[in-house]
Amino acid sequence: MPGVKADIISQLQKDILQMQGFRSKLTDTVPDIDLGPVNTAFPNGIFPTGAVHEFLCAAKEHAAATTGFVSALAGNLMRRGGACIWISVARTLFPPSLQTFGIAPDRVIFIDVQRIKDALWTLEEALKCEGIAAVIAEVPEISFTQSRRLQLVVEQSKVTGFILRTSSRSANTTACVTRWKITPLSSELEDGIPGVGFPRWNVDLLKVRNGRPGTWKMEWAEGKCVVISGDAATAIIPERQLKVG
């Protein structure tokens, strides 16, 4: 009898994780998003799709770096088809720069609204569309109740959502599966080659449900995010170089 109860509890835990966007390597041999060593922070070692992810980016330079990192994640999801919806109340993104992260601008539907209330309503409706690869929303704030509504929606539609919180106020608790903070690192130039190097970020996974938070230095190179080792410069890249990352 104790063994039967343990099996039932184990199966329930697996079912709950699956509903929350956490999948098993037994059924997913190729992850939608491969972040290398970072994937070990997530349950079953797989980046949770069909879930809502939260990014804190109050400073302008942080918002630019976060946009680049999120674009890289969305680009991975779009490789299997589907469009991306980008919602904002104050968009500053330069669409052609998305090609840096493998996203054709014409596959992104931009929706600009004036009120936060309208942006959140649009976000919820967009997440209900099962054919969408990813939904990104730039909003100053979101409450726990609002985030809970979004999480319930994606558990049904399996669409992945990214919320970029641009307010400078303290972050409140939300129902999002993860919470991140992305800050820029100076890029490293190749010897003898002028210009700007590959985008680099300091990636802080502040919270992950049923996982292990951590910090990594990452670089976007050759069409993927890679963890960089050694001491990376911590100086902030000038904002003019940070259109999307």
Side-chain angles (χ1 to χ4, degrees), residues 75 106 122 174 189 193-194 198 245:
D106 60 358
T122 305
T174 67
L189 300 180
I193 300 180
F198 294 118

Side-chain angles (χ1 to χ4, degrees), residues 112-179:
D112 299 327
V113 295
Q114 296 183 345
R115 299 188 302 174
I116 299 175
K117 179 180 179 180
D118 295 334
L120 292 172
W121 180 86
T122 305
L123 172 59
E124 183 175 345
E125 293 303 308
L127 289 173
K128 294 178 181 178
C129 302
E130 298 180 3
I132 299 297
V135 179
I136 302 169
E138 299 177 69
V139 293
E141 290 290 348
I142 185 170
S143 69
F144 177 85
T145 300
Q146 291 166 335
S147 66
R148 180 57 180 162
R149 287 173 58 92
L150 299 178
Q151 186 59 36
L152 291 174
V153 167
V154 297
E155 287 175 7
Q156 296 296 321
S157 68
K158 306 304 179 185
V159 176
T160 305
F162 302 100
I163 299 176
L164 283 57
R165 297 181 61 174
T166 57
S167 173
S168 60
R169 291 186 291 180
S170 299
N172 57 293
T173 300
T174 67
C176 298
V177 167
T178 63
R179 171 175 285 178

Side-chain angles (χ1 to χ4, degrees), residues 20-23 33 42-43 46-53 160 177-178 208:
Q20 293 175 342
F22 298 108
R23 299 169 314 196
I33 298 178
F42 310 117
I46 295 179
F47 186 97
T49 55
V52 179
H53 301 268
T160 305
V177 167
T178 63
V208 52

Side-chain angles (χ1 to χ4, degrees), residues 28-144:
D28 289 58
T29 56
V30 179
D32 289 324
I33 298 178
D34 185 8
L35 296 178
V38 180
N39 277 26
T40 60
F42 310 117
N44 303 322
I46 295 179
F47 186 97
T49 55
V52 179
H53 301 268
E54 173 191 15
F55 292 81
L56 306 181
C57 47
K60 289 184 178 180
E61 60 271 20
H62 296 178
T66 303
T67 299
F69 184 75
V70 170
S71 296
L73 300 180
N76 274 267
L77 293 173
M78 295 173 70
R79 289 175 183 174
R80 297 192 179 185
C84 172
I85 295 180
W86 198 301
I87 304 162
S88 177
V89 293
R91 177 166 58 94
T92 59
L93 176 71
F94 182 56
S97 62
L98 290 172
Q99 296 183 82
T100 301
F101 302 98
I103 300 177
D106 60 358
R107 292 184 60 197
V108 181
I109 301 171
F110 293 100
I111 302 177
D112 299 327
V113 295
Q114 296 183 345
R115 299 188 302 174
I116 299 175
K117 179 180 179 180
D118 295 334
L120 292 172
W121 180 86
T122 305
L123 172 59
E124 183 175 345
E125 293 303 308
L127 289 173
K128 294 178 181 178
C129 302
E130 298 180 3
I132 299 297
V135 179
I136 302 169
E138 299 177 69
V139 293
E141 290 290 348
I142 185 170
S143 69
F144 177 85

